[in-house]
Amino acid sequence: PPLEVRAPISISNREVLWVDQDEIAVIIPCFNEAQTIGKVVDDFHRELPEATVYVYDNASTDATAAIAMKHG
């Protein structure tokens, strides 16, 4: 499934949203999570392979976005 990095939204950390019975979207808001974001994205892809994973980077100053995209 594709990974998209977008502007921040206001939801709680690492929340899984059920879009409908046949679609799953994983929403991962983050800020300066370069040390952990790769594992988090990999874990969601492993546990929910049919899901689309969205990473919402809140203007991190580290490599969070680049690492998330690499694990996409």
Side-chain angles (χ1 to χ4, degrees):
L3 172 78
E4 297 183 20
V5 177
R6 296 191 179 184
I9 61 171
S10 183
I11 62 171
S12 62
N13 268 347
R14 296 174 178 87
E15 183 173 336
V16 178
L17 301 177
W18 296 88
V19 179
D20 83 28
Q21 290 183 339
D22 298 325
E23 294 183 46
I24 299 171
V26 176
I27 312 297
I28 308 171
C30 58
F31 176 73
N32 289 341
E33 296 287 341
Q35 291 184 352
T36 59
I37 193 64
K39 181 182 181 323
V40 171
V41 171
D42 291 346
D43 288 349
F44 275 114
H45 281 306
R46 184 183 64 253
E47 296 298 322
L48 298 169
E50 70 282 3
T52 301
V53 177
Y54 298 93
V55 175
Y56 287 81
D57 181 26
N58 193 14
S60 295
T61 56
D62 62 6
T64 297
I67 293 168
M69 291 177 73
K70 180 180 175 185
H71 288 262

